[in-house]
Amino acid sequence: MNPLFEQFVIEARELLDAAGAALLRLEREPGDAGAINDLFRALHTLKGATGLFDMAPFTRLVHAGEDALMAVREGRAAVTPELADRLFQLLDLGVRWVDHLDAEGDLPDGADAVARERETLLRAALGGEKAVEAPSGAFSWVDELTEAERRTAGGRTVTAVMYDPHPDCFFTGDDPLDLCRKIPDLLLLRIEPVEPWPELSALDPYRCALRFRTLSAAPKDDVARVFRSVPDQVRIATMTVAGAVTAPEPVVEGLAESILREQARILALEGTAAEREARRAVVLRTVRNILTAQGREADRAALDRVAETPEALRGFVEGLADARTGGGAASVPFAVPAAAPARRALRVEAERMDRLMSLVGELVVAKSRLPYLAREAREGQSFEMLAQGLKETQGQIDAIVGELQAAVLRLRVLPLSRVFEPLPRLVRDAARRLGKSVELRLSGEETQADKDILDVLGEPLLHLVRNSLDHGIETPDARRAAGKPETAEIRVSAFQDKNGVVVEVADDGAGIDAGAVRRKAVERGLIEADRAAALTEEEAVRLVFLPGLSTSSGVSDLSGRGVGMDAVRAAVEQAGGRVEIASQRGHGTRVRLVLPLTMMITRVMMVETAGALYGFPVTLVTGMLRVRRGDIRAVKRAESIVLHDAVVPLLRLRRLLGLPEDDRAVGTEAVLVVDLGGQTVGLVVDGFRERADVVLKPMTGVLARLRGYAGTAVLGDGQLLLVLNLRELL
Amino acid sequence: MNNDKRRVLVVDDAVTVRAYTRQVLEADGFVVDEAINGIDGLEHAMANPPDLLIVDINMQKMDGYAMLRVLRQEPALRDVPAVMISTESKDSDREQARLAGANWYFVKPVKPKDLSEAARLLTGRSHEDKREG
């Protein structure tokens, strides 16, 4: 992909994000001048960027938004919920278009019509005039040219332009006449009053009362480009004009002459002596450069003679500008960016990159010690000295590699604010749609996690917040009836603990009806009735994680629209994390996602069983116990223990792996307590070992078919560690 | 290294505009330096005086007008040709740019051809002289 275009895609996304955030602020605080300015600036910059490419519909779209804000800024319109909705829709459309541009290299089909429609809607929301629709025969004036006009424009195919500037165009920075002047190969320019002139005393000089009719010999696209910033105010058509005489080629001044003329104007400016002297210096250099560039040696020599006298210099520069008139600059069609597959870009702070560079430098230096040691070995240096040298070098390299690893990980580390960003908007829209009043509180946005983790986190987080909005939060009436404040609260918070990143979504809504969940689970055959009855409230609530329970037609008060809690659980566990849920009827629900800091490095809890080492992701481990054999309850071969007043099934790792039974005579069993997405299980192992950070390699080849293994890792001492996937084992 | 290459300092808060200007000018054999606002631009220009400045008007912290006014008081920078680029095309904006110390004024979007032609003229490079890096 063209790097410039790629840059545009990245910047456009950022600008749309920034605009969205500013719009939220503006909606909350309609008089917030800072928010208006931020929003305006973002759109303005975006409009400028779209103007660099041939994407007139996009420019039109953004321009419409900019116009609306201008009206707000000048007090001509208010930020009504309707206007905010329209603006949000505009930003959403912009995001979709950027996605399309990123994937396909161009705007979707029909973008122009869509942009026009949005424009009309926005204008309606402003309470302003309707968008211009070209009536048939609008261009009939072309057929009614005067004889004199026909002499210059007739007898050829022309591009006709009808430009009806907004009455307020002077406030949006448009200069209609100047725009018309920029039309390439202009053949005809008519300036007419829109309505018969009023009494002079009734004339408003701040409103544009004129319209423009022009003909150009340039192709339609070239002409349209001139009106890029005001696409809503022009109609352009290609047509043939009857006539006789061919027009003479218009004389357009070359850029060099224009710039020279500008220098003469600069010299004519008023100012203090110091200012005038500074201007003389820069004009002199500029003019000298132009003459050098054009190879006008004689003129340059003459320039040097008048250089010290401001008046003479000014006269000389004016003369230079008149001396030549070049041909008009032909317009160069803009390179249309080629379509290319979307690419994943990661923005990295320069400091982090610099740190990496300096570490690599250190590594190179440390490594250079090795050939020196090799030479010493060859020359018969004592083993002790060599061992000493090797150990030192190894120590240095170790330290650097450790830092290097940390630095590389940091490259991929981003703040969680990224995944929090869409939430305010989601809550605002959904609350409005559902007629609920909700306050969203975010905290811990600055918590950092690996990019892969953020990618995993995004969707589940949206699901959870949407669930809260849909089913957790009651209507204001219901809340009042329940003696709660009408405005509900959803708190999304993040923090880091020793095992990873924790993200919580909590609401003060109705909570989950454990009884309903129980009934549903039994109805659907997900659990047997007697087992369901034996579950504690807490355990029953966790049934929502079972696949098939909370999908589309699930229990009405906790799910909807196919947003399954099992999908949330699956996504989080896929990334090596786990989900916890706690809910209190009438008081609210809290869902907690625990994720590792990175997916590249997995923190595992190691256990020993039958002489081999096995690992479990620490995010799954909730505890380690020593249980006396006498405390294990056994019904046939099904064993269990009582933990925090709850019955926890006990499984033996040896049996799960098909290893021989443990025949050691021990009084206590080592039990690892793991949380399998709502279900707590005790796992009997031979012994606990330490925790370790490992790089997990998935099983490949024939081994990939083995179930129950998440992958393998090589430990520091070279031993192989098998990391287990408990869900598959059970 | 080619020390003869003309150096252009682009001061604009929009990364796409900077990238665009860089792409156009580098293709034409210029060395391009970037700054993101007026203050940043002044710092860059003072540390390493360019042959040409291309300055956006509407920027945070310090706008293009203010930057040029300060720059024109610096002995080492007062005669560096400067082009202002803006979305505004009103005569009053051009006049203000002129007063601030701009030598030329372009209205966005600038065609690549005009941009490189202006850079060539203002840095005194002939058409034949297209230095490749």
Side-chain angles (χ1 to χ4, degrees):
Chain A
M1 199 189 279
N2 174 338
L4 177 61
F5 190 65
E6 212 167 280
Q7 185 66 67
F8 166 76
V9 168
I10 295 172
E11 189 182 26
R13 287 213 172 102
E14 289 176 356
L15 290 169
L16 287 165
D17 278 355
L23 183 52
L24 274 175
R25 275 197 287 143
L26 182 60
E27 195 191 24
R28 208 170 303 139
E29 194 76 53
D32 187 343
I36 298 179
N37 282 337
D38 287 352
L39 183 51
F40 188 79
R41 181 186 294 276
L43 290 182
H44 187 74
T45 308
L46 181 59
K47 188 179 80 171
T50 58
L52 289 173
F53 305 94
D54 260 338
M55 41 176 91
F58 209 152
T59 311
R60 173 191 291 268
L61 181 76
V62 180
H63 186 81
E66 206 189 20
D67 269 356
L69 285 170
M70 185 69 92
V72 171
R73 190 147 80 166
E74 289 167 0
R76 286 183 283 123
V79 187
T80 58
E82 192 199 354
L83 177 61
D85 275 349
R86 297 286 177 230
L87 286 169
F88 274 124
Q89 285 163 5
L90 183 147
L91 297 179
D92 288 346
L93 182 62
V95 170
R96 284 202 298 279
W97 280 3
V98 170
D99 287 345
H100 199 276
L101 284 165
D102 193 13
E104 310 285 338
D106 57 10
L107 290 174
D109 293 339
D112 195 50
V114 176
R116 278 170 203 276
E117 178 206 340
R118 293 306 167 95
E119 201 178 12
T120 314
L121 290 173
L122 249 177
R123 234 181 256 132
L126 276 179
E129 60 275 63
K130 293 273 173 286
V132 202
E133 199 44 61
S136 57
F139 284 93
S140 60
W141 57 274
V142 177
D143 298 327
E144 295 154 13
L145 296 179
T146 65
E147 216 31 58
E149 287 170 337
R150 237 171 255 285
R151 267 199 289 283
T152 49
R156 59 164 104 194
T157 303
V158 297
T159 303
V161 179
M162 300 174 66
Y163 173 25
D164 298 304
H166 267 289
D168 288 336
C169 67
F170 301 140
F171 297 99
T172 53
D174 297 335
D175 182 342
L177 184 58
D178 191 61
L179 275 181
C180 290
R181 280 206 188 113
K182 286 211 212 86
I183 299 174
D185 298 340
L186 190 64
L187 298 173
L188 172 88
L189 172 60
R190 268 196 197 172
I191 305 177
E192 307 163 340
V194 178
E195 286 159 354
W197 291 107
E199 290 285 313
L200 196 53
S201 59
L203 187 70
D204 182 353
Y206 294 104
R207 291 174 75 79
C208 180
L210 298 173
R211 62 184 190 198
F212 298 79
R213 302 289 176 260
T214 83
L215 295 178
S216 157
K220 188 177 171 186
D221 286 354
D222 288 1
V223 176
R225 192 169 293 127
V226 172
F227 292 99
R228 239 196 270 253
S229 61
V230 289
D232 56 317
Q233 300 162 35
V234 290
R235 283 162 282 174
I236 302 176
T238 302
M239 46 210 323
T240 308
V241 181
V245 191
T246 316
E249 276 301 308
V251 176
V252 181
E253 201 169 55
L255 185 60
E257 282 66 37
S258 304
I259 298 180
L260 283 172
R261 200 179 299 284
E262 175 71 17
Q263 305 316 300
R265 276 190 215 114
I266 293 170
L267 288 176
L269 290 174
E270 303 286 327
T272 65
E275 282 168 355
R276 293 169 69 93
E277 174 51 25
R279 285 186 198 127
R280 191 192 62 85
V282 69
V283 165
L284 189 63
R285 177 164 163 188
T286 303
V287 174
R288 190 178 283 139
N289 283 350
I290 293 172
L291 296 177
T292 306
Q294 295 191 316
R296 293 157 79 171
E297 298 301 327
D299 285 338
R300 216 178 72 180
L303 175 72
D304 288 341
R305 285 195 293 277
V306 297
E308 301 306 319
T309 334
E311 294 313 310
L313 180 63
R314 184 179 154 195
F316 180 77
V317 174
E318 275 171 2
L320 284 176
D322 290 334
R324 282 188 178 191
T325 41
S331 61
V332 181
F334 228 91
V336 177
R343 232 190 273 175
R344 298 194 329 151
L346 182 64
R347 286 205 160 186
V348 172
E349 285 166 39
E351 277 167 47
R352 295 184 176 186
M353 211 62 218
D354 292 347
R355 177 75 190 128
L356 208 53
M357 279 309 293
S358 83
L359 280 170
V360 169
E362 285 178 36
L363 191 62
V364 170
V365 172
K367 184 203 73 176
S368 64
R369 178 90 193 276
L370 291 171
Y372 169 77
L373 285 170
R375 200 178 62 228
E376 288 198 326
R378 210 169 36 242
E379 287 168 359
Q381 182 62 266
S382 81
F383 287 139
E384 253 164 65
M385 292 291 280
L386 284 173
Q388 175 72 14
L390 277 171
K391 213 173 150 197
E392 277 171 17
T393 310
Q394 188 226 346
Q396 281 172 8
I397 293 181
D398 255 8
I400 299 168
V401 167
E403 281 190 52
L404 204 54
Q405 187 189 25
V408 169
L409 284 179
R410 265 200 302 278
L411 283 185
R412 301 168 45 91
V413 163
L414 298 168
L416 256 71
S417 54
R418 289 222 171 184
V419 287
F420 281 14
E421 251 163 38
L423 299 179
R425 178 67 195 287
L426 171 78
V427 170
R428 174 219 176 255
D429 284 358
R432 230 166 98 73
R433 206 182 52 243
L434 298 166
K436 295 178 180 177
S437 171
V438 183
E439 178 84 29
L440 175 70
R441 292 191 196 284
L442 298 176
S443 63
E445 299 102 312
E446 69 290 342
T447 310
Q448 301 206 322
D450 189 274
K451 185 175 177 302
D452 284 345
I453 296 295
L454 292 192
D455 288 348
V456 169
L457 198 55
E459 277 297 307
L461 196 55
L462 288 179
H463 279 350
L464 292 175
V465 173
R466 215 177 277 147
N467 266 346
S468 268
L469 282 161
D470 257 359
H471 308 294
I473 305 289
E474 316 90 327
T475 59
D477 289 345
R479 289 181 66 88
R480 208 179 317 117
K484 292 184 183 182
E486 280 181 32
T487 299
E489 191 178 84
I490 296 181
R491 288 184 313 278
V492 180
S493 48
F495 58 92
Q496 197 180 322
D497 78 357
K498 61 185 188 301
N499 292 330
V501 187
V502 180
V503 179
E504 271 186 15
V505 177
D507 65 52
D508 63 351
I512 294 173
D513 182 348
V517 176
R518 248 192 217 114
R519 277 196 303 281
K520 202 81 198 172
V522 173
E523 233 168 69
R524 299 190 162 222
L526 300 170
I527 185 171
E528 275 150 37
D530 53 345
R531 238 190 98 199
L535 291 175
T536 63
E537 290 285 291
E538 213 176 298
E539 286 165 334
V541 164
R542 285 202 218 127
L543 292 173
V544 298
F545 289 121
L546 289 176
L549 187 94
S550 61
T551 43
S552 53
S553 61
V555 188
S556 64
D557 59 345
L558 61 91
S559 72
R561 294 199 320 264
V563 178
M565 290 297 279
D566 61 317
V568 170
R569 190 192 70 182
V572 170
E573 284 181 1
Q574 186 76 38
R578 74 186 144 89
V579 187
E580 293 167 5
I581 190 165
S583 184
Q584 203 181 344
R585 194 81 181 120
H587 288 89
T589 305
R590 191 195 70 208
V591 181
R592 175 186 268 228
L593 311 179
V594 185
L595 284 151
L597 282 174
T598 165
M599 283 165 78
M600 284 167 63
I601 301 217
T602 312
R603 183 138 239 249
V604 293
M605 170 77 214
M606 294 196 289
V607 300
E608 195 185 329
T609 292
L613 282 180
Y614 298 93
F616 300 92
V618 290
T619 46
L620 296 180
V621 178
T622 54
M624 289 182 292
L625 305 171
R626 288 268 168 201
V627 181
R628 277 185 294 134
R629 284 201 160 162
D631 290 344
I632 297 175
R633 296 196 279 180
V635 180
K636 292 182 190 164
R637 268 166 68 97
E639 295 176 307
S640 61
I641 53 171
V642 174
L643 189 60
H644 308 310
D645 298 332
V647 178
V648 172
L650 210 56
L651 299 164
R652 292 182 179 268
L653 188 57
R654 282 172 177 260
R655 284 186 202 157
L656 290 176
L657 295 174
L659 298 168
E661 292 285 322
D662 187 8
D663 49 10
R664 295 171 305 159
V666 285
T668 60
E669 298 276 18
V671 176
L672 196 66
V673 184
V674 291
D675 179 353
L676 298 177
Q679 198 194 355
T680 301
V681 169
L683 200 65
V684 180
V685 299
D686 288 5
F688 300 126
R689 296 284 290 270
E690 65 275 21
R691 291 162 188 240
D693 290 326
V694 298
V695 177
L696 198 59
K697 298 257 164 62
M699 299 287 211
T700 53
V702 187
L703 295 178
R705 272 182 248 148
L706 280 176
R707 288 181 59 77
Y709 297 94
T712 60
V714 178
L715 297 175
D717 58 3
Q719 267 199 83
L720 189 74
L721 178 74
L722 285 166
V723 180
L724 299 173
N725 182 334
L726 274 177
R727 188 174 302 285
E728 281 183 7
L729 268 184
L730 299 181
Chain B
M1 283 284 187
N2 187 340
N3 294 323
D4 288 346
K5 277 203 173 189
R6 304 293 205 272
R7 293 185 49 259
V8 182
L9 174 60
V10 180
V11 189
D12 199 311
D13 57 353
V15 59
T16 303
V17 174
R18 292 201 304 273
Y20 163 72
T21 313
R22 174 187 284 279
Q23 183 173 308
V24 170
L25 294 181
E26 281 185 346
D28 221 17
F30 288 93
V31 174
V32 179
D33 195 7
E34 296 178 18
I36 57 166
N37 58 44
I39 290 175
D40 193 30
L42 282 176
E43 281 171 0
H44 274 76
M46 285 177 190
N48 207 349
D51 296 303
L52 175 66
L53 291 150
I54 297 183
V55 185
D56 181 35
I57 292 180
N58 193 359
M59 293 181 290
Q60 271 172 340
K61 289 193 182 163
M62 181 189 263
D63 69 11
Y65 296 135
M67 173 188 158
L68 282 189
R69 277 194 293 270
V70 175
L71 190 114
R72 290 302 183 219
Q73 290 167 22
E74 285 293 314
L77 298 171
R78 67 170 192 173
D79 67 342
V80 178
V83 175
M84 283 209 124
I85 300 192
S86 165
T87 49
E88 307 298 326
S89 59
K90 291 194 292 287
D91 280 346
S92 59
D93 291 307
R94 290 172 189 268
E95 178 75 7
Q96 210 181 335
R98 202 177 284 143
L99 280 167
N103 293 88
W104 185 240
Y105 190 96
F106 271 129
V107 177
K108 282 181 194 174
V110 189
K111 289 180 194 159
K113 181 174 174 289
D114 288 347
L115 191 61
S116 50
E117 173 77 1
R120 202 178 57 75
L121 287 167
L122 293 172
T123 60
R125 236 181 60 180
S126 69
H127 267 298
E128 297 73 42
D129 178 20
K130 184 163 180 173
R131 297 183 172 92
E132 296 297 335

